Amino acid sequence: MKMNLPEQILNYRPEIGLILGSGLGFFADDRIEVAGRLPYEDIEGFPVSTVPGHAGQFVYGELHGKRVLCMQGRFHYYEGYTMAQLTLPIRLMHRVGVKTLIVTNAAGGLNRDFSPGDFMLINDHINFFGTNPLIGPCSEDELRFPDMSAVYDSELREGLREWAAVNGQDLQEGVYLATTGPSFETPAEIRAFATLGADAVGMSTVPEAIVARQLGLRVLGISCITNAAAGISQEPLTHEEVFETAVRVRPQFADLLAAAVSVC
Ligand code: HPA
């Protein structure tokens, strides 16, 4: 896919890319020493976000002396974007020099030890989209069959685990399963996903992580467990509940994410 590389971001030379999920976009405004912003609509060839609560811009600046490029708002498959479109930001990050991707999301908890408001370090994923962002032509400098046996960098995970232990922040760890959405899952699907080995379920992250690994980026993934998954909770699921939990745990999430940048 064609895309113009924005000069202002290229010149800033960001080292770390950060994808801020549902209700988590505040981080860029609260914690980054902002050097600039660039709305997606100003980037030729770029898709534009359609979900409320997703501002749809890059925010870049410094945190812990590192140059970070945040996506305030991401693209979802359920919005109707193609896999190629929704992973274009990862290709942009790679081309402007980003070496590490920190990816966040809101997720439903399958693991019965998890409670809403917990954070989960992603240690692996299950791609349940039924498609793959790497389907299609492959350029000569790209791997056709990239390895996915260690998507989520173990050193970075260890670093964040250590920070959490020292700072008294509970941190769960587990497998993230991604579906297309946008309907939430049925209780039968959740039971099936638990049997498959999933600890949390969501509608994002996996396409970005796959493309990032193909491009050789190191990946760190964090889920905010916003709700118990369908059937584990007896209540109907709503986007409001997801959003409210994400808002409630903002301070802890911001601390965790800032720590994630510091360990990169
Ligand atoms: N299912 C899928 N996606 C989600 C959920 C869920 O329960 N919570 C937040 N994102």
Side-chain angles (χ1 to χ4, degrees), residues 37 47 57 88 106 110 117 139 165 168 176 193 211 217 224-225 241 263:
R37 300 169 194 272
Q57 60 177 351
L88 206 58
L110 277 75
S139 66
Y176 175 87
F193 294 163
V211 170
L217 304 187
C224 174
I225 305 297
E241 179 189 2
V263 303

Side-chain angles (χ1 to χ4, degrees), residues 7 67 74 90 104 111 128 139 157 175 178 185 188 210 246 258:
E7 289 274 318
R67 293 183 304 280
R74 65 141 62 82
I90 309 303
T104 68
N111 188 317
F128 215 81
S139 66
R157 273 190 284 139
V175 173
E185 302 71 32
I210 291 173

Side-chain angles (χ1 to χ4, degrees), residues 73-208:
R74 65 141 62 82
F75 306 107
H76 298 88
Y77 196 54
Y78 62 72
E79 293 176 83
Y81 300 111
T82 64
M83 282 276 156
Q85 281 179 313
L86 71 92
T87 54
L88 206 58
I90 309 303
R91 297 189 183 280
L92 180 144
M93 285 179 178
H94 173 64
R95 285 171 59 189
V96 300
V98 164
K99 299 282 183 260
T100 307
L101 176 68
I102 302 173
V103 54
T104 68
N105 59 54
L110 277 75
N111 188 317
R112 289 179 186 267
D113 292 339
F114 293 1
S115 306
D118 281 357
F119 300 108
M120 184 188 87
L121 200 48
I122 303 176
N123 60 21
D124 206 347
H125 73 223
I126 297 172
N127 177 11
F128 215 81
F129 276 101
T131 183
N132 188 295
L134 305 181
I135 290 174
C138 180
S139 66
E140 265 171 31
D141 54 349
E142 287 170 353
L143 273 178
R144 178 72 289 189
F145 303 107
D147 176 51
M148 292 289 144
S149 58
V151 175
Y152 301 90
D153 192 279
S154 61
E155 259 180 39
L156 298 181
R157 273 190 284 139
E158 182 55 33
L160 195 57
R161 241 188 258 120
E162 273 172 23
W163 176 89
V166 169
N167 289 276
Q169 171 64 58
D170 288 336
L171 189 56
Q172 308 279 13
E173 187 157 346
V175 173
Y176 175 87
L177 182 147
T179 69
T180 65
S183 51
F184 286 117
E185 302 71 32
T186 64
E189 286 165 346
I190 291 300
R191 285 192 300 275
F193 294 163
T195 307
L196 292 178
D199 296 293
V201 61
M203 306 173 189
S204 67
T205 300
V206 166
E208 293 109 318

